[in-house]
Amino acid sequence: MTNPPLHRRLDSDKKPIIIAGPCSIESQSQFLKTLKGLDLSKVDYIRGGIWKPRTRPGSFEGMGEVAFEWVKEVQKELGFKFATEVASTEHVDIALKNGAGLLWIGARTTVNPFNVQEIAEALRGVDLPVFVKNPINPDLSLWKGALERLLKCDVKNLGAIHRGFQTFQQSKYRNTPLWQIPMELKSEFPDLPLLCDPSHIGGKRSLIAELSQRAMDLDFDGLMVETHIDPDNALSDNAQQLTPDAFGLLLDSLIFRNHTSKNEDFNNQLDIIREQIDQADREILEAIATRLSLVEKIGTYKKDNNVAIFQISRWKEILHSRPEWAKSLNLDPEFIRELYRHIHQQSVRIQTSVFNKEQDKQPND
């Protein structure tokens, strides 16, 4: 689905959208002290976990519905719009009854289309912002599918939150960013507000600033950052929460980028460079076309000589040599290794097609 009928970006076109607050609401005192430390004029929504779905039982799973009473008491004193996660239709009913101003569906829920559908039905026609976090695993279709299910239930005030992905890659992050996936989502849903959750991507306070700036550099629409008055003693996600003071310093340090520029000289120079990129892309595609025509030729040669398609020694040689060539050209070897994996997959498909054509020509027994 392209260009879904989203009719607005939250309450305005303001950028960046800032959501901040504790991972979990542990007590009325903890919640109040955290919020008093924040400059609420710079925060659009206060987040707080009422329920905390955990990977394993026995850990802190939130205070439940009683926490809404604390939220309402603190709202009377400070005034703010409240955002929380819902993982079931019961959560939706309780959150709506207690005046939540924004809801989000978490990563563990997004992976299950049955759960998402039930939540979408419970939210049918609800006119408040509903955000969807990416699924735990790097599956763009699941993320898109969750948004589409909500749209079909007439939930149009939608947004998405990028919180990183669990992968088998070695990484300094709790959840690998894989920035290309949210960028692909944005390209298909251009009017969709896209926020970054650097707390869950990083998993460590020391990484939140660089991740937040990266999101701004990529033209994300805002941030959701976990903040706590005493992070080291938080009952959940203690390593990734910022103190209110640290959060204030983070906001002050961020460089917010313009989506476009009105500078005529800049735009003219940009057009010239883009023309050069277009020419380079044409040359790349011509080279790929030449390579694949040679692949088809070698496939025919293998078939005629009764030789198997996959030659592991040759593949190992390519996988070793091309990244080495990349180094001499100041290219990222891992990028080139991944590129050649895709090229090799296409090469195998082409040679397989050559073999199948010959089999199709043979008469039936």
Side-chain angles (χ1 to χ4, degrees), residues 6 49 86 161 165 272 276 298 308:
L6 302 173
V86 291
I161 301 172
F165 303 90
I272 292 171
Q276 294 171 340
I298 205 170

Side-chain angles (χ1 to χ4, degrees), residues 7 19 130 133 150-151 206 240 254 315 323 332 350 364-365:
H7 55 81
I19 302 176
V130 178
K133 285 196 174 185
L150 288 158
L151 279 170
S206 60
Q240 67 190 41
L254 287 175
W315 171 230
D332 180 359
I350 289 172
N364 294 328
D365 292 336

Side-chain angles (χ1 to χ4, degrees), residues 284-295:
I284 290 170
L285 292 174
E286 288 170 0
I288 291 174
T290 298
R291 190 188 196 283
L292 295 182
S293 68
L294 293 171
V295 165

Side-chain angles (χ1 to χ4, degrees), residues 10 14 16-25 30-49 71 74 78-84 102 104 133 161 195-200 208 212 222-229 240-251 254:
L10 295 181
K14 172 186 176 294
I17 300 160
I18 302 297
I19 302 176
C23 173
S24 303
I25 299 176
Q30 166 253 0
F31 190 54
L32 177 62
K33 288 178 181 177
T34 300
L35 268 57
K36 280 189 170 181
L38 297 172
D39 182 349
L40 295 182
S41 68
K42 297 181 179 179
V43 179
D44 299 283
Y45 290 85
I46 292 297
R47 59 151 291 150
V71 171
V74 176
L78 300 180
F80 55 86
K81 291 179 284 187
F82 181 64
T84 197
L102 181 151
W104 78 83
K133 285 196 174 185
I161 301 172
L195 309 187
C196 179
D197 177 353
S199 303
H200 280 89
I208 291 176
S212 299
L223 301 170
M224 175 187 275
V225 181
E226 291 185 340
T227 58
H228 192 291
I229 193 62
Q240 67 190 41
Q241 299 196 65
L242 297 178
T243 65
D245 286 345
F247 176 70
L249 292 173
L250 168 69
L251 289 185
L254 287 175

Side-chain angles (χ1 to χ4, degrees), residues 183-321:
M183 293 297 94
E184 179 65 22
L185 180 77
K186 188 71 170 178
S187 70
E188 296 194 38
F189 293 76
D191 297 322
L192 186 77
L194 176 61
L195 309 187
C196 179
D197 177 353
S199 303
H200 280 89
I201 295 175
K204 295 188 286 287
R205 283 186 280 279
S206 60
L207 297 174
I208 291 176
E210 68 173 70
L211 288 164
S212 299
Q213 186 59 59
R214 179 71 177 274
M216 294 300 97
D217 293 346
L218 290 171
D219 201 31
F220 274 64
D221 296 289
L223 301 170
M224 175 187 275
V225 181
E226 291 185 340
T227 58
H228 192 291
I229 193 62
D230 184 13
D232 288 335
N233 291 303
L235 299 182
S236 58
D237 289 349
N238 62 327
Q240 67 190 41
Q241 299 196 65
L242 297 178
T243 65
D245 286 345
F247 176 70
L249 292 173
L250 168 69
L251 289 185
D252 290 342
S253 70
L254 287 175
I255 301 171
F256 300 113
R257 309 295 184 184
N258 297 319
H259 180 65
T260 58
S261 173
K262 296 181 180 180
N263 185 301
E264 187 174 347
D265 290 338
F266 168 83
N267 289 325
N268 289 338
Q269 186 61 35
L270 194 65
D271 288 340
I272 292 171
I273 297 171
R274 283 174 171 166
E275 287 178 5
Q276 294 171 340
I277 290 173
D278 290 344
Q279 179 59 36
D281 283 345
R282 281 191 289 269
E283 293 172 1
I284 290 170
L285 292 174
E286 288 170 0
I288 291 174
T290 298
R291 190 188 196 283
L292 295 182
S293 68
L294 293 171
V295 165
E296 185 173 9
K297 182 177 180 180
I298 205 170
T300 301
Y301 193 61
K302 286 177 182 177
K303 173 181 64 65
D304 291 344
N305 288 273
N306 198 31
V307 174
I309 292 172
F310 183 49
Q311 302 287 309
I312 191 167
S313 60
R314 171 62 175 167
W315 171 230
K316 284 184 175 180
E317 189 274 321
I318 289 174
L319 202 57
H320 173 75
S321 62

Side-chain angles (χ1 to χ4, degrees), residues 77 99 101 103 129 173 263 288 360:
E77 180 173 347
L103 303 178
Y173 303 111
N263 185 301
I288 291 174
D360 291 344

